[in-house]
């Protein structure tokens, strides 16, 4: 339902030409794109995480169009340089990938090389260390592979039917919402680990199947097109951590581990999950104090000059698998849709 509303809003902005006219007002100085998986579509009708993946064919069309556009495709360092110096003669686009999925190497990287496009790759170090909890993937696997699941909620065992696609979708949405609303992330992790163990899903294998190893990451990192960024150690929603010290440790440790593994110290950071429930003013301040040049959220928006004062609270535009259309990308990158969503507020660092 929500997707239908967003889709018709984007269509309206496109076909009315409004996005085109609004652009000088709302287009800002550039855009940072967020990508996760790039891989051929799978057939299953139950794919609750589909928004996190786009097809290689769509990605190639996007890169080709960006190359022909009047945008400069630049590295995160170059973006930082432009922001600090205020040199915005041309609009920029930064392409970034979160989490370090193996399909990035297999499907996205050849296309990035073909079109000579610089990109950032934000790595949560527990993923290549094979200690990562990809809890949203594990939850999908548990519900996909079972027709009935058991969950302990407030100390009571409860059972849920999930035999049909409809039941699976509904159950995923409910459990996901419940997990995301938990106050503590360690509780979330405990619940999913328990669920996975009870229903035959090995979380270590999920991590190995989905994520690049350090060898694979270093293959990409060796390319001057690639900038490795930090994405914390354990991919926690930092805002939910009790102490400032814990937040600091997540950011600092990931930087040290990446430096030890790849020989280069990351200068850029992405907050895990990255929405306002996961990263707020405390996290923005700590990232700045730790000396990260830039840090990105998943709050939707384009970049304005005024972000110069908020370089550790940058918005991005998500390349969403539910909206794989060049029309939508044009509207999103024009800044028109996000200006409407954000009530024309340019900077949101609160
Ligand atoms: Zn992430």
């Amino acid at each position: 339902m929500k997707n239908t509303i967003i889709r018709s809003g984007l269509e309206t902005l496109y076909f009315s030409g409004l996005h085109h006219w609004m652009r000088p007002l709302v287009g800002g100085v550039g855009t940072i794109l967020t990508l996760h998986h790039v891989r051929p579509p799978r057939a299953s009708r139950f794919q609750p995480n589909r928004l996190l993946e786009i097809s290689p064919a769509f990605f190639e069309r996007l890169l080709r169009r960006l190359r022909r556009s009047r945008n400069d495709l630049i590295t995160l360092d170059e973006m930082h340089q432009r922001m600090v110096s205020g040199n915005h003669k041309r609009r920029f686009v930064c392409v970034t990938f979160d989490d370090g999925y193996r399909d990035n190497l297999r499907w996205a990287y050849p296309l990035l090389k073909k079109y000579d496009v610089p990109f950032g790759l934000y790595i949560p170090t527990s993923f290549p260390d094979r200690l990562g909890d990809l809890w949203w993937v594990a939850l999908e696997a548990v519900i996909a592979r079972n027709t009935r699941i058991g969950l302990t909620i407030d100390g009571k065992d409860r059972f849920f039917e999930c035999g049909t696609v409809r039941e699976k979708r509904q159950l995923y949405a409910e459990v996901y919402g419940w997990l995301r609303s938990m106050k503590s992330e360690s509780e979330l992790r405990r619940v999913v680990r328990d669920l996975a163990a009870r229903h035959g899903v090995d979380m270590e294998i999920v991590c190995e199947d989905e994520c690049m190893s350090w060898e694979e990451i270093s293959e990409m990192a060796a390319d001057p097109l690639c900038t490795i960024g930090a994405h914390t150690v354990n991919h926690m929603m930092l805002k939910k951590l009790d102490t400032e010290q814990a937040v600091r440790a997540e950011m600092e440790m990931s930087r040290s581990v990446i430096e030890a593994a790849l020989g280069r110290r990351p200068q850029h950071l992405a907050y895990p999950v990255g929405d306002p429930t996961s990263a707020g003013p405390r996290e923005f301040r700590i990232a700045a104090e730790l000396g990260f040049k830039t840090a990105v959220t998943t709050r939707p928006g384009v970049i304005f000059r005024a972000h110069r004062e908020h370089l550790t609270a940058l918005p991005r535009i998500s390349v969403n698998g539910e909206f794989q259309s060049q029309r939508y990308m044009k509207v999103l990158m024009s800044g028109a849709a996000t200006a409407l969503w954000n009530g024309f507020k340019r900077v949101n660092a609160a």
Side-chain angles (χ1 to χ4, degrees):
M1 186 58 192
K2 201 173 153 226
N3 284 348
T4 315
I5 294 169
I6 295 173
R7 205 165 275 134
S8 63
L10 294 173
E11 295 280 4
T12 305
L13 282 169
Y14 182 80
F15 285 108
S16 64
L18 206 57
H19 74 289
H20 184 72
W21 297 108
M22 282 170 77
R23 189 167 138 167
L25 183 69
V26 297
V29 294
T31 306
I32 310 173
L33 297 177
T34 313
L35 292 99
H36 288 86
H37 295 279
V38 177
R39 62 187 175 197
R42 293 167 294 157
S44 163
R45 287 181 57 225
F46 173 62
Q47 291 188 51
N49 290 304
R50 202 179 82 111
L51 73 165
L52 298 176
E53 66 178 82
I54 59 167
S55 71
F58 176 70
F59 187 51
E60 175 154 26
R61 286 198 298 276
L62 176 64
L63 293 182
R64 197 184 302 135
R65 196 173 60 72
L66 287 175
R67 263 290 164 233
R68 289 199 201 122
S69 73
R70 272 176 296 183
N71 294 290
D72 289 342
L73 291 155
I74 63 175
T75 62
L76 292 168
D77 278 335
E78 166 84 19
M79 172 189 71
H80 175 257
Q81 183 55 38
R82 288 188 187 193
M83 292 304 292
V84 172
S85 66
N87 169 13
H88 296 297
K89 286 189 212 93
R90 282 166 61 91
R91 279 184 104 237
F92 67 80
V93 174
C94 283
V95 176
T96 67
F97 294 84
D98 287 10
D99 304 341
Y101 295 112
R102 179 166 294 120
D103 51 64
N104 294 174
L105 176 62
R106 169 138 187 231
W107 298 99
Y109 184 43
L111 294 169
L112 292 158
K113 278 197 287 195
K114 180 173 172 188
Y115 293 93
D116 195 29
V117 175
F119 60 97
L121 191 57
Y122 296 108
I123 303 292
T125 56
S126 64
F127 289 11
D129 280 340
R130 302 303 184 227
L131 300 166
D133 284 326
L134 281 81
W135 60 265
W136 57 98
V137 183
L139 178 64
E140 177 179 336
V142 165
I143 295 177
R145 291 179 206 169
N146 292 277
T147 54
R148 188 168 192 253
I149 67 161
L151 266 174
T152 312
I153 299 174
D154 299 328
K156 287 194 202 92
D157 275 343
R158 292 184 52 192
F159 293 91
F160 300 89
E161 299 298 327
C162 50
T164 67
V165 171
R166 194 195 169 91
E167 284 168 344
K168 287 181 194 297
R169 285 181 185 158
Q170 203 174 343
L171 183 60
Y172 185 92
E174 277 168 20
V175 178
Y176 182 88
W178 174 57
L179 293 168
R180 283 290 302 272
S181 72
M182 284 180 172
K183 287 211 173 62
S184 116
E185 171 119 11
S186 39
E187 174 67 4
L188 181 166
R189 303 285 173 109
R190 202 192 51 71
V191 169
V192 178
R193 281 197 164 265
D194 177 54
L195 191 65
R198 276 208 236 178
H199 295 282
V201 171
D202 185 327
M203 297 204 52
E204 201 177 318
I205 291 178
V206 169
C207 192
E208 267 178 36
D209 282 351
E210 297 271 326
C211 305
M212 283 189 278
S213 64
W214 282 113
E215 290 71 40
E216 289 167 317
I217 294 168
S218 49
E219 189 183 329
M220 284 169 92
D223 191 320
L225 289 176
C226 177
T227 303
I228 301 291
H231 197 31
T232 76
V233 176
N234 293 304
H235 203 273
M236 301 245 182
M237 292 178 256
L238 297 176
K239 199 170 167 179
K240 298 194 175 188
L241 299 182
D242 286 337
T243 66
E244 172 148 349
Q245 207 181 357
V247 176
R248 210 169 261 277
E250 277 286 337
M251 294 184 193
E252 248 179 340
M253 284 273 287
S254 67
R255 185 164 64 181
S256 306
V257 172
I258 290 172
E259 188 178 10
L262 304 175
R264 227 172 314 153
R265 192 173 171 78
Q267 308 286 330
H268 306 273
L269 171 82
Y271 305 103
V273 187
D275 69 329
T277 71
S278 321
R282 177 183 70 173
E283 288 68 40
F284 304 155
R285 172 177 53 76
I286 293 173
E289 283 169 7
L290 289 175
F292 284 104
K293 285 181 176 172
T294 71
V296 293
T297 66
T298 54
R299 297 179 186 215
V302 299
I303 307 294
F304 293 98
R305 278 173 192 275
H307 282 108
R308 181 180 172 162
E309 308 303 326
H310 304 277
L311 289 174
T312 55
L314 298 176
R316 290 188 286 177
I317 298 286
S318 176
V319 185
N320 185 315
E322 299 285 359
F323 305 101
Q324 296 186 52
S325 136
Q326 299 301 324
R327 288 209 295 268
Y328 298 158
M329 288 310 300
K330 266 188 195 166
V331 172
L332 286 167
M333 292 174 62
S334 74
T338 46
L340 294 173
W341 294 338
N342 297 332
F344 290 91
K345 200 171 155 206
R346 293 184 165 189
V347 175
N348 173 6

